[in-house]
Structures are given as C-alpha cells and as structure tokens.
Amino acid sequence: MRYYDRLIFELSRKGRIGFSLPACDADPVKAETAKGVTGIWRESPLDLPEVSEPDVVRHYTNLSQMNFGVDTGFYPLGSCTMKYNPKLNEEVLQSFLGLHPLQPESTAGGAEELLSFMKKALCEICGMKGFTLQPCAGAHGELTGLMLIREYHRSRGDEARCKVIIPDSAHGTNPASAAACGFEVVEVKSRPDGLVDIDALRPLLGPDIAGMMMTNPNTLGLFEKDILEIASLVHGCGGLMYYDGANLNPLLGIARPGDMGFDVMHVNLHKTFSTPHGGGGPGSGPVGVSEKLLPYLDKLKVSGFHGNFGVIARACAYILSLGREHLAEAGTFATLSANYIKESLKDCYRLPIDSVCKHEFVFDGLAGGGGDVTTLDVAKRLLDYGFHAPTIYFPLLFHQAIMIEPTETESKETLDAFIEVMRSIAHEASREPEVLRTAPHNTPVSRPDETAAARQPVLKYEFR
Amino acid sequence: MFAYFPHTDEDIRAMLDRIGAESEDELFSDVPSGFRLRNGYDLPSSMSEDEVRAFFNGLASRNTRLTVFAGAGAYDHYTPSVIPYITSRSEFLTAYTPYQAEISQGTLRYIFEWQTMICSLTGMDVANASMYDGPTAAAEAMRMCVACTRKRNTVIASSTLLPGVLEVLRTYARNCGVNLVETDAIGEAVAEGTLDLAGVIVPSINRYGIIESHLGLADAVHEAGALLVEYCDPSALAVVKTPAEWGADIAVGDAQTLGMPLCYGGPCAGFMACSSKWMRKLPGRLVGQTVDASGRRCFVLTLQAREQHIRREKASSNICSNESLMALWSTVYLSLMGPEGLRRVNALCYVGSHYLHDALLATGRFTDPFEGRAFLKEFVLQPLMDAGKLQQTLLDAGFFGALLTEEGYVSFCVTERRTRAEMDALVRVVKEAGL
C-alpha cells in the first residue's frame, strides 16, 4: 500500500472530458425559456471535475491501492463474517443488467424464478415459512421485521405492546432499529456465563411486550442453550421472537432459527452467503417469517423494487455452488477455526468466559491488563502485520473487548500466522509498549486525528 | 474437499487436538439435540462452476430482452466502460466498512468525493455516505423532519411523488408513528396550518415527468416551523433548479440515474443531503477530512456519535451498511461526465423524449393531459385506446413502454441510449396496431 494524496477535483482542467456520447447542441433550458417556461432552471454553477478517461482510471486505481480487502488479507472481524467472495458470483449477473424492475413478469420469468428459488432456499436453511427479499441491509431487515411484529399486534387490536426486550450483548442495530420503529427498548442483562439471564427476563414480561430480539449464538459467540425456554416465556406473554441473522453462519448445517422458536428474522446475504461487502454495501437483508406472520409479509413495501437483485443473484450462485453438502459444512469449519484461535491465544489475552464458542469469541484485552497498552493499540499494531483489526470495544460487556471471527474460508496456515502475530504483539506490549501506542507504522497513513475531524467537520472539498 | 474450504483432514485433526476435542461434533455439545438439524437441507447438490453458469444462462433465456422506453424510478442510462472495471477491483469490492482508516483511505477518499459531488448537484451543505435507495432515503428524511422539529409528527407528502416512493413512505409512516398526509395541493395544505407539521416532501420532477415549481413553498413551510424535503433526480439537477435554490432543508433521491444499470431494480444508491443546520441529525455515515500523526491529509468516518454502534437506541437512525460500492459507481460516473457530459445527457434525453412525445401525439391516438409543461425525459399521455393492449402490443414488438399509471395515463421515457430508429419503430407499431 502506498500513500497517494489526490482528490479527483484536484486533477481537473477546464475543457477536459471523460465521456463518449453522441454530439448534441440542443439546450433544454434555452428551448423551454423560449417557450416561456422560466423559473425552474438551475442558475448556480455546477462544480464537477473535468478530467480525461485515463485520469479517472489512474486516480481510482491509486485510491484502491490504499485499501485492504478480503482478497488482500485476513479479516478476523467479529460479527461481520468476512468470508471469501467467490469470483464466479461476479459474472452470473451480466445477462440481467438490462432488466427493468417494472417489466411484466411474463417478460422477466428468469429473474422471478431466481427470486422464488432464493425465498425457498432461505426458508429451508432458516426453518421459516416465507421470505421477503426487499430489505437492502441487515439493519433494514431488522426494521422490516419489527414492522411485521407491529402489523401483527395491530391486526389483533393489541396496540398496547410498545416494548421490545433486547439483551445487553446485542448488536447496536437492534436497539436502534427498535427505536426507529417507535418501540421502547428494555434491556435484559447477561449472566456471568454470558448467556441471557432468564431470572432477569421473567419480571420484564407482560402485556406491554411486543417481542424480544436475539442473536444466537450471541455476540460472545456463545450458544443460548435455553433458547426454547426463552421463546416459550416470551410467547407466553404474547410477544414474538426476532432473530438477528448477523450470527447465522455457525448454524449452517447445525440448527435453524425457526426450529428454536423464532417468529421473524433477517439474513445478511453479505455475511453468511458471501456477497462482497463493497466497503459498506450494497448488502441484502431478506426477512423470513413463521406461519403466523405470513399474512403480513406482502403488506410491507420497504424499498423501491425487488430489493438488491444483484446481491441476491450472487448469493444464489453461492448456495448453488456449495449445495446441500458443503453448506452443511460451513458452520462447523467456522466454529472449529474460532475455537482453534481462542485456545491458541488464551494464555496471552484475557478470556473472560472460558467455554466452547461458536463462530466467534471475545477477549477482554491483554492477559495481565496490558498496562498502558489498550485494545485499540493491539488492533492498530495488527495492521502493520498485514491483518485487518478484529472488532473492538464490542460487545459492551467488557471494557477492552477484542472480538474475533475467522470464518470457514481461512486456512490453518493463515490462522497460525495470525496467532503468531497476536502472540508477538502481546510480547511487544510488555517490552516495547511505545511501538504499539504509536502503531500502525507500515500503512499509507498513521493514526488520524479523529478529534479534529469531529470538532471542525470538513465533509466536502471546497472549490476555489 | 471443496474449493472455498481449505481444511484438510490433517488440519482438522491438529486443530481439534489444540482445542482438546475428540470430534467436531463436541464443539456443538451446547446445542440442544431437540432442534439439531438431522437430515441436512432439502436443497440441490453442489454444482460445478459450469453447472452454475448453465443454471444462470437458463434463467436468462426466460427473460425477454426489451428496448426500454419506461422510467418510473428506474432509468436506462448509459454506463461508461470504466465504471465496472473500477468497481470490480477487489480492493474496493471486497473491503469492509472503513472503520480502520489507516488501511481504508481508498474507500474514505471516494466517499468524500461522493459527498462533495452530491453537494455540488443539490447545492446543499452536507451529504452522507449513501442510503439504500431513493424511496428509503425519502423515508429517512421523513423521520428526520420529525426528529428535527421534536414533538411534531405530521409530514405532508405530495401525491405527485413517484408511486414507489409513496408506498415506502406509507409503510414507514404507519409503523414508525408518523402521521403522513398525501395531497396534490401542497401550498393550501401548508397554509391551512397545523401546529404538528414537521415536514413537507415534494418532487423536483414528478411522477408525470414534469418539472415542478416550488416558488414560495420553502418560506411557507419554514413559517409553519417545518422542514422542506425535495426528492430529486441527481442527473437532472445539472439543468433544473436545485433543492438549495428552492430553499429546501433536505435533498434526497436515487443515484440510479448516475450511470447504474437497471439490474431489475437494484442495487442502486440513495443519497441524502441537508443544510449545515441539521448536520447532526443526518442519518448514516459521514466521512471527514483530517490529518494523521505526521500531519498528512487523510480521511475518517466522523460524527459517529449520531450512529447506532455508539448511540444504540438514541441513534439518529438504525442504518449501518449502506450502498458504498454504488456510491463509488456514481462518483466514477460523475468524474467521467463532468459538467459538460451531464449537460449533454440531459440535452439528448430532452431532444429524444420531445421527438417521441410529438410523434406519438401526431398519430392521433393520444392526447396530452399536461400540454405546455416542461419535461426532460419522461412524459405521460392519455391514450385513446385500451392501455393494457397497447402495452402488450409494444411488448410483442420488443418494446417496454406505455406504462399504465394509476390515473389511466401511459408513461414513456427516452434516455440518451434510445436512437431515432428505435423511436420511429415504436411509433410505427403504435400507428399500425389494430387497437
């Protein structure tokens, strides 16, 4: 990676162009003004770069070289499931690019068949009765699922249900989605063993509970083994169970949310089903429901057309490539890799809950506390060694959380190299803490001044 | 073994030994046997690469290739060859969200460029890193109006917004506790006055393709203590009055018109921009400029205290993943087009759509319900025959156009990709159709 300090605007020279379009001298504004249509036209200048095609290609290629991706190296990124993105999946979309989303179904039979195959496959993998593919991301799926919970209670005249229960270990999107959907968030504590405290849950239940959101395995990578009892308690008070699919990967081949008592769930196709993360999207967050929510599924319109069709098609190629045989292996390999890292590092890093984990696990900083060296320092030092940082300071249960998820597509050699680097960082922490505190040293830029960025935000380029 | 899984039997044994487990199954001893998956999945068997290709070719053969003369929220604009070449670079494609700024300067820089370009097009002060699509951006703007005006809860939406936008607004309003009022008499509705008014959402170009005038609207909305939101086509903003020029507080829309293929409706990207006054209420990610420890210019995700991973239930929105790669798509598009390219796209659309509009009227089989109103690429006509049969006749001839609207009009759209010959052929079909 090499530092490159240009913005496309700084390459601009008046008169250069980078497009290839038929000539056209017409001027809509002049033509309409001549007809007397005035007052609706742009008057301010339009500041866009004027650059040639080679300028554009070189600029963005240079930018790309300051980026880390799954194809560059290992992402031990907890709850993000950064698995390998198969290249075959990038080519299957070509013949669908010209399809208009409002074309009658009779002229889009192939696209419709793909969507219906995906709904069926997701139902089978998740143990659900129906799916909508409209949501464009995981959090969008959460919001959609909560809307379905709302529709369900409303249709029964049960409008007093204004609260959603969420464990303290939950992903931040859970409470944010519940609040966006107008619910009051009630937090339920975890026990010292990291699982939901059923005794703390019981008194929260009542006629004002709309439902409970959970992910299983939870964000500590622990399987909530009392899930049937939890579901039965929540159902008993008239609430519904929501499954956050961010942690679905380890369940592949092992168990299905629908069989654990969940009524509604989302799946992150960009996690479990390998579609590329794209630097923060496009994702896809299909929502599945049990029988009792089926009638409400098609009442909701949560995005413009059919959802992120291009992402759904890639996930479809993934499911076909793996097939029933290899899909069933993914969860096991992911779990094996996570436990392998955990056992290999627990003498150097503090493992607050020492039990078998699923796809991910959480350390609470360095063993022995680390002195002045924080989790942030460890994460930044990893960048020097060519690894992405783990998820840090989440879940909020531990002050120095380091959350590691290796996925099933990393080889033992990669895991061993990561383990070795994590061990040597732990040694550095005691011998040369300054090296960690000022890390990274081998990246295109060093630690940015985030305080300055937030104090006086510069959020766009200023044209002279 | 399988191509994506590197675990050999030897690896598995060595890893289990380190863990101290007899078998892989032992790692799942905490999953109650009552719901363990016993018989695997009822799914097709693993396919080879060529079998997967054949499967998709089979699907593609069941789609009909049509020449697109329709819009209604998805437009068939030209995609420069450079764009997919750049966006498929795996350093962009396979990257995670740029939380680790030191190894994400590529992503952070293009988002900063995108934010700048969205501000240039809309005239607004601040733009975020992207939304899922136009309709959801409108829905987030509706929620933002409520958040910015505190205890107020009513949002007026123009019934001339695209049907797809209104449908999403209705779903969000019904389930997020917003009182949504739809009307085509915006001025009167605002003047009537309600103490509860949080915001007003109007289109820049409406569902009939007509460029709307919002003269005096911003003043009236602000006088009522509410926010004005404009839903716009970013491509058309090169020629039509900008949300900032109309005095809007928030601009939203769909960046699909910035060179993205139709792709059966997605992925595309929504955008959202606002005046600096409301910056801290903006949902989604923001990239800001700063310096690194050695004083070099660099970029970071900033003002994260608005976001879900910090604020949880107090966040301005639940949005996390957005449409980053599609923001790159349109950033590259706008770099290639520049002001002159975008002007030319609009000119070509204008010339083409007016040619088709006039030729269709000349067949004597339509009337124009909005005569004299300015349009750029999309227009509606009142058909003097059965609209359903008209659309089918066109489909049979390989054209997707004459989209039936709720009002009984048929809509057409002409982008720069449509040729004179294609338009003449479509008009001939209309003329000769025995409808």
Short mmCIF file of all heavy atoms in Angstrom, two decimals, chain A residues 359-402:
data_model
loop_
_atom_site.label_atom_id
_atom_site.label_comp_id
_atom_site.label_asym_id
_atom_site.label_seq_id
_atom_site.Cartn_x
_atom_site.Cartn_y
_atom_site.Cartn_z
N HIS A 359 -18.85 -19.37 16.18
CA HIS A 359 -18.06 -18.79 15.09
C HIS A 359 -17.13 -17.68 15.55
O HIS A 359 -16.27 -17.25 14.81
CB HIS A 359 -19.00 -18.23 14.04
CG HIS A 359 -19.84 -17.09 14.58
ND1 HIS A 359 -20.61 -17.24 15.71
CD2 HIS A 359 -19.96 -15.82 14.18
CE1 HIS A 359 -21.21 -16.09 15.97
NE2 HIS A 359 -20.83 -15.21 15.06
N GLU A 360 -17.37 -17.14 16.76
CA GLU A 360 -16.56 -16.02 17.24
C GLU A 360 -16.43 -16.11 18.75
O GLU A 360 -17.11 -16.90 19.41
CB GLU A 360 -17.20 -14.67 16.85
CG GLU A 360 -18.53 -14.37 17.53
CD GLU A 360 -19.25 -13.15 16.94
OE1 GLU A 360 -18.79 -12.61 15.91
OE2 GLU A 360 -20.28 -12.75 17.50
N PHE A 361 -15.52 -15.28 19.28
CA PHE A 361 -15.34 -15.24 20.74
C PHE A 361 -14.77 -13.87 21.08
O PHE A 361 -14.36 -13.11 20.19
CB PHE A 361 -14.40 -16.36 21.21
CG PHE A 361 -13.02 -16.24 20.66
CD1 PHE A 361 -12.04 -15.54 21.36
CD2 PHE A 361 -12.70 -16.77 19.43
CE1 PHE A 361 -10.76 -15.39 20.84
CE2 PHE A 361 -11.42 -16.61 18.90
CZ PHE A 361 -10.45 -15.93 19.60
N VAL A 362 -14.73 -13.57 22.38
CA VAL A 362 -14.30 -12.23 22.81
C VAL A 362 -13.22 -12.33 23.87
O VAL A 362 -13.38 -13.03 24.87
CB VAL A 362 -15.51 -11.43 23.37
CG1 VAL A 362 -15.06 -10.06 23.86
CG2 VAL A 362 -16.59 -11.29 22.31
N PHE A 363 -12.10 -11.65 23.62
CA PHE A 363 -11.08 -11.45 24.66
C PHE A 363 -11.36 -10.10 25.31
O PHE A 363 -11.92 -9.20 24.67
CB PHE A 363 -9.68 -11.39 24.04
CG PHE A 363 -9.12 -12.72 23.61
CD1 PHE A 363 -8.53 -12.87 22.35
CD2 PHE A 363 -9.14 -13.82 24.46
CE1 PHE A 363 -7.99 -14.09 21.95
CE2 PHE A 363 -8.60 -15.05 24.06
CZ PHE A 363 -8.03 -15.18 22.80
N ASP A 364 -10.92 -9.97 26.58
CA ASP A 364 -11.03 -8.67 27.25
C ASP A 364 -9.62 -8.11 27.45
O ASP A 364 -9.09 -8.09 28.55
CB ASP A 364 -11.77 -8.83 28.59
CG ASP A 364 -12.05 -7.49 29.26
OD1 ASP A 364 -11.86 -6.45 28.59
OD2 ASP A 364 -12.45 -7.49 30.44
N GLY A 365 -9.01 -7.70 26.36
CA GLY A 365 -7.68 -7.11 26.41
C GLY A 365 -6.58 -8.13 26.67
O GLY A 365 -6.79 -9.35 26.60
N LEU A 366 -5.41 -7.61 26.96
CA LEU A 366 -4.24 -8.45 27.19
C LEU A 366 -4.32 -9.13 28.55
O LEU A 366 -4.86 -8.56 29.51
CB LEU A 366 -2.97 -7.60 27.13
CG LEU A 366 -2.56 -7.14 25.73
CD1 LEU A 366 -1.83 -5.82 25.78
CD2 LEU A 366 -1.71 -8.21 25.06
N ALA A 367 -3.77 -10.34 28.63
CA ALA A 367 -3.68 -11.00 29.93
C ALA A 367 -2.80 -10.13 30.83
O ALA A 367 -1.82 -9.55 30.36
CB ALA A 367 -3.06 -12.39 29.77
N GLY A 368 -3.18 -9.97 32.05
CA GLY A 368 -2.39 -9.12 32.94
C GLY A 368 -2.70 -7.66 32.78
O GLY A 368 -2.02 -6.81 33.35
N GLY A 369 -3.72 -7.36 31.99
CA GLY A 369 -4.20 -5.97 31.91
C GLY A 369 -3.54 -5.13 30.84
O GLY A 369 -4.13 -4.21 30.33
N GLY A 370 -2.27 -5.41 30.50
CA GLY A 370 -1.64 -4.69 29.39
C GLY A 370 -1.03 -3.36 29.77
O GLY A 370 -0.47 -2.68 28.92
N GLY A 371 -1.14 -2.95 31.04
CA GLY A 371 -0.58 -1.65 31.43
C GLY A 371 -1.23 -0.53 30.66
O GLY A 371 -2.45 -0.42 30.64
N ASP A 372 -0.40 0.30 30.00
CA ASP A 372 -0.93 1.42 29.23
C ASP A 372 -1.42 1.00 27.85
O ASP A 372 -1.97 1.80 27.11
CB ASP A 372 0.17 2.48 29.03
CG ASP A 372 0.52 3.15 30.34
OD1 ASP A 372 -0.29 3.03 31.28
OD2 ASP A 372 1.59 3.78 30.40
N VAL A 373 -1.15 -0.24 27.49
CA VAL A 373 -1.49 -0.69 26.15
C VAL A 373 -2.97 -1.11 26.10
O VAL A 373 -3.41 -1.95 26.88
CB VAL A 373 -0.58 -1.86 25.71
CG1 VAL A 373 -1.05 -2.42 24.38
CG2 VAL A 373 0.86 -1.39 25.62
N THR A 374 -3.71 -0.50 25.21
CA THR A 374 -5.14 -0.77 25.12
C THR A 374 -5.43 -1.71 23.95
O THR A 374 -4.58 -1.99 23.11
CB THR A 374 -5.91 0.53 24.87
OG1 THR A 374 -5.50 1.06 23.61
CG2 THR A 374 -5.66 1.56 25.96
N THR A 375 -6.70 -2.13 23.90
CA THR A 375 -7.18 -2.93 22.79
C THR A 375 -7.00 -2.20 21.47
O THR A 375 -6.66 -2.81 20.45
CB THR A 375 -8.66 -3.28 23.06
OG1 THR A 375 -8.69 -4.39 23.95
CG2 THR A 375 -9.39 -3.64 21.80
N LEU A 376 -7.21 -0.90 21.49
CA LEU A 376 -7.03 -0.12 20.25
C LEU A 376 -5.59 -0.25 19.74
O LEU A 376 -5.36 -0.42 18.55
CB LEU A 376 -7.35 1.36 20.50
CG LEU A 376 -7.20 2.27 19.26
CD1 LEU A 376 -8.29 1.98 18.22
CD2 LEU A 376 -7.23 3.75 19.65
N ASP A 377 -4.63 -0.21 20.66
CA ASP A 377 -3.22 -0.33 20.27
C ASP A 377 -2.94 -1.69 19.65
O ASP A 377 -2.23 -1.79 18.64
CB ASP A 377 -2.31 -0.12 21.49
CG ASP A 377 -2.53 1.24 22.15
OD1 ASP A 377 -2.89 2.19 21.43
OD2 ASP A 377 -2.37 1.33 23.37
N VAL A 378 -3.50 -2.74 20.24
CA VAL A 378 -3.31 -4.09 19.69
C VAL A 378 -3.89 -4.15 18.28
O VAL A 378 -3.26 -4.65 17.34
CB VAL A 378 -3.99 -5.15 20.60
CG1 VAL A 378 -3.97 -6.52 19.94
CG2 VAL A 378 -3.32 -5.19 21.97
N ALA A 379 -5.08 -3.60 18.13
CA ALA A 379 -5.76 -3.62 16.83
C ALA A 379 -4.93 -2.88 15.79
O ALA A 379 -4.75 -3.36 14.66
CB ALA A 379 -7.15 -3.00 16.96
N LYS A 380 -4.43 -1.71 16.15
CA LYS A 380 -3.66 -0.91 15.19
C LYS A 380 -2.34 -1.59 14.83
O LYS A 380 -1.87 -1.50 13.71
CB LYS A 380 -3.40 0.49 15.76
CG LYS A 380 -4.65 1.36 15.93
CD LYS A 380 -5.39 1.57 14.61
CE LYS A 380 -6.62 2.45 14.77
NZ LYS A 380 -7.51 2.39 13.58
N ARG A 381 -1.72 -2.27 15.80
CA ARG A 381 -0.46 -2.95 15.53
C ARG A 381 -0.67 -4.11 14.55
O ARG A 381 0.20 -4.40 13.72
CB ARG A 381 0.14 -3.47 16.84
CG ARG A 381 1.53 -4.08 16.71
CD ARG A 381 2.56 -3.08 16.22
NE ARG A 381 3.93 -3.65 16.24
CZ ARG A 381 4.86 -3.37 15.34
NH1 ARG A 381 4.59 -2.54 14.34
NH2 ARG A 381 6.06 -3.91 15.42
N LEU A 382 -1.84 -4.76 14.62
CA LEU A 382 -2.15 -5.85 13.69
C LEU A 382 -2.06 -5.38 12.23
O LEU A 382 -1.66 -6.12 11.34
CB LEU A 382 -3.55 -6.41 13.96
CG LEU A 382 -3.65 -7.60 14.91
CD1 LEU A 382 -5.11 -7.87 15.23
CD2 LEU A 382 -3.00 -8.84 14.32
N LEU A 383 -2.46 -4.13 12.00
CA LEU A 383 -2.45 -3.59 10.64
C LEU A 383 -1.03 -3.62 10.07
O LEU A 383 -0.83 -3.85 8.88
CB LEU A 383 -2.99 -2.16 10.60
CG LEU A 383 -4.35 -1.89 11.25
CD1 LEU A 383 -4.74 -0.42 11.06
CD2 LEU A 383 -5.43 -2.80 10.69
N ASP A 384 -0.04 -3.38 10.93
CA ASP A 384 1.35 -3.41 10.48
C ASP A 384 1.76 -4.77 9.94
O ASP A 384 2.65 -4.87 9.10
CB ASP A 384 2.29 -3.06 11.65
CG ASP A 384 2.36 -1.55 11.89
OD1 ASP A 384 2.15 -0.79 10.92
OD2 ASP A 384 2.66 -1.16 13.03
N TYR A 385 1.13 -5.81 10.47
CA TYR A 385 1.49 -7.17 10.08
C TYR A 385 0.62 -7.70 8.94
O TYR A 385 0.65 -8.90 8.63
CB TYR A 385 1.39 -8.11 11.28
CG TYR A 385 2.46 -7.87 12.33
CD1 TYR A 385 2.18 -7.13 13.48
CD2 TYR A 385 3.75 -8.38 12.17
CE1 TYR A 385 3.15 -6.91 14.44
CE2 TYR A 385 4.73 -8.16 13.13
CZ TYR A 385 4.43 -7.44 14.26
OH TYR A 385 5.40 -7.23 15.21
N GLY A 386 -0.19 -6.83 8.34
CA GLY A 386 -0.97 -7.26 7.18
C GLY A 386 -2.29 -7.93 7.51
O GLY A 386 -2.87 -8.60 6.66
N PHE A 387 -2.75 -7.76 8.75
CA PHE A 387 -4.07 -8.28 9.10
C PHE A 387 -5.02 -7.12 9.34
O PHE A 387 -4.60 -6.06 9.83
CB PHE A 387 -4.01 -9.14 10.37
CG PHE A 387 -3.23 -10.40 10.20
CD1 PHE A 387 -1.97 -10.55 10.75
CD2 PHE A 387 -3.77 -11.45 9.46
CE1 PHE A 387 -1.24 -11.72 10.58
CE2 PHE A 387 -3.05 -12.63 9.28
CZ PHE A 387 -1.78 -12.76 9.84
N HIS A 388 -6.30 -7.33 9.03
CA HIS A 388 -7.30 -6.34 9.44
C HIS A 388 -7.45 -6.46 10.96
O HIS A 388 -7.14 -7.51 11.53
CB HIS A 388 -8.63 -6.60 8.74
CG HIS A 388 -9.59 -5.44 8.83
ND1 HIS A 388 -10.43 -5.26 9.91
CD2 HIS A 388 -9.82 -4.41 8.00
CE1 HIS A 388 -11.14 -4.16 9.72
NE2 HIS A 388 -10.79 -3.61 8.57
N ALA A 389 -7.92 -5.41 11.60
CA ALA A 389 -8.15 -5.47 13.04
C ALA A 389 -9.40 -6.29 13.32
O ALA A 389 -10.30 -6.36 12.50
CB ALA A 389 -8.32 -4.06 13.59
N PRO A 390 -9.48 -6.92 14.52
CA PRO A 390 -10.75 -7.53 14.93
C PRO A 390 -11.77 -6.43 15.25
O PRO A 390 -11.43 -5.25 15.25
CB PRO A 390 -10.39 -8.29 16.21
CG PRO A 390 -8.91 -8.20 16.36
CD PRO A 390 -8.45 -7.04 15.54
N THR A 391 -13.00 -6.83 15.54
CA THR A 391 -13.99 -5.87 16.05
C THR A 391 -13.56 -5.53 17.48
O THR A 391 -13.25 -6.44 18.26
CB THR A 391 -15.38 -6.51 16.04
OG1 THR A 391 -15.71 -6.80 14.68
CG2 THR A 391 -16.43 -5.59 16.65
N ILE A 392 -13.50 -4.24 17.80
CA ILE A 392 -13.01 -3.89 19.15
C ILE A 392 -14.03 -3.05 19.92
O ILE A 392 -14.90 -2.40 19.33
CB ILE A 392 -11.65 -3.15 19.07
CG1 ILE A 392 -11.74 -1.94 18.14
CG2 ILE A 392 -10.55 -4.10 18.63
CD1 ILE A 392 -10.47 -1.08 18.16
N TYR A 393 -13.90 -3.09 21.22
CA TYR A 393 -14.80 -2.38 22.15
C TYR A 393 -16.27 -2.75 21.93
O TYR A 393 -17.17 -1.96 22.13
CB TYR A 393 -14.58 -0.86 22.08
CG TYR A 393 -13.15 -0.50 22.44
CD1 TYR A 393 -12.27 0.00 21.49
CD2 TYR A 393 -12.68 -0.71 23.73
CE1 TYR A 393 -10.95 0.29 21.81
CE2 TYR A 393 -11.36 -0.42 24.07
CZ TYR A 393 -10.50 0.08 23.12
OH TYR A 393 -9.19 0.35 23.44
N PHE A 394 -16.49 -3.95 21.47
CA PHE A 394 -17.82 -4.51 21.33
C PHE A 394 -17.71 -6.01 21.49
O PHE A 394 -16.78 -6.59 20.95
CB PHE A 394 -18.44 -4.16 19.97
CG PHE A 394 -19.83 -4.70 19.85
CD1 PHE A 394 -20.90 -4.01 20.39
CD2 PHE A 394 -20.06 -5.95 19.27
CE1 PHE A 394 -22.17 -4.56 20.35
CE2 PHE A 394 -21.33 -6.49 19.24
CZ PHE A 394 -22.38 -5.79 19.77
N PRO A 395 -18.62 -6.68 22.17
CA PRO A 395 -19.77 -6.14 22.89
C PRO A 395 -19.36 -5.28 24.09
O PRO A 395 -18.23 -5.33 24.55
CB PRO A 395 -20.53 -7.38 23.33
CG PRO A 395 -19.54 -8.48 23.32
CD PRO A 395 -18.55 -8.14 22.27
N LEU A 396 -20.34 -4.52 24.57
CA LEU A 396 -20.05 -3.52 25.60
C LEU A 396 -19.87 -4.13 26.99
O LEU A 396 -19.61 -3.42 27.95
CB LEU A 396 -21.19 -2.49 25.64
CG LEU A 396 -21.54 -1.87 24.27
CD1 LEU A 396 -22.74 -0.94 24.40
CD2 LEU A 396 -20.36 -1.14 23.67
N LEU A 397 -20.02 -5.46 27.09
CA LEU A 397 -19.93 -6.12 28.40
C LEU A 397 -18.54 -6.04 28.99
O LEU A 397 -18.36 -6.13 30.20
CB LEU A 397 -20.33 -7.59 28.26
CG LEU A 397 -21.72 -7.85 27.70
CD1 LEU A 397 -21.96 -9.35 27.58
CD2 LEU A 397 -22.78 -7.23 28.59
N PHE A 398 -17.51 -5.89 28.10
CA PHE A 398 -16.13 -5.85 28.57
C PHE A 398 -15.46 -4.57 28.08
O PHE A 398 -15.67 -4.16 26.95
CB PHE A 398 -15.36 -7.08 28.07
CG PHE A 398 -16.06 -8.36 28.37
CD1 PHE A 398 -16.60 -9.14 27.36
CD2 PHE A 398 -16.22 -8.78 29.69
CE1 PHE A 398 -17.28 -10.32 27.66
CE2 PHE A 398 -16.90 -9.95 29.99
CZ PHE A 398 -17.44 -10.72 28.98
N HIS A 399 -14.62 -3.97 28.95
CA HIS A 399 -14.04 -2.67 28.62
C HIS A 399 -13.03 -2.73 27.49
O HIS A 399 -12.84 -1.77 26.76
CB HIS A 399 -13.40 -2.06 29.87
CG HIS A 399 -14.41 -1.65 30.88
ND1 HIS A 399 -15.44 -0.78 30.57
CD2 HIS A 399 -14.58 -1.99 32.18
CE1 HIS A 399 -16.20 -0.61 31.64
NE2 HIS A 399 -15.71 -1.34 32.63
N GLN A 400 -12.32 -3.86 27.37
CA GLN A 400 -11.25 -3.95 26.36
C GLN A 400 -11.55 -5.03 25.33
O GLN A 400 -10.66 -5.74 24.86
CB GLN A 400 -9.90 -4.24 27.07
CG GLN A 400 -9.41 -3.12 27.97
CD GLN A 400 -9.04 -1.86 27.18
OE1 GLN A 400 -8.58 -1.94 26.05
NE2 GLN A 400 -9.28 -0.70 27.76
N ALA A 401 -12.84 -5.15 24.97
CA ALA A 401 -13.27 -6.26 24.12
C ALA A 401 -12.51 -6.33 22.79
O ALA A 401 -12.30 -5.33 22.11
CB ALA A 401 -14.77 -6.16 23.86
N ILE A 402 -12.10 -7.55 22.46
CA ILE A 402 -11.50 -7.87 21.15
C ILE A 402 -12.30 -9.06 20.63
O ILE A 402 -12.24 -10.14 21.20
CB ILE A 402 -10.02 -8.32 21.28
CG1 ILE A 402 -9.19 -7.25 22.00
CG2 ILE A 402 -9.42 -8.66 19.91
CD1 ILE A 402 -7.73 -7.68 22.25
#
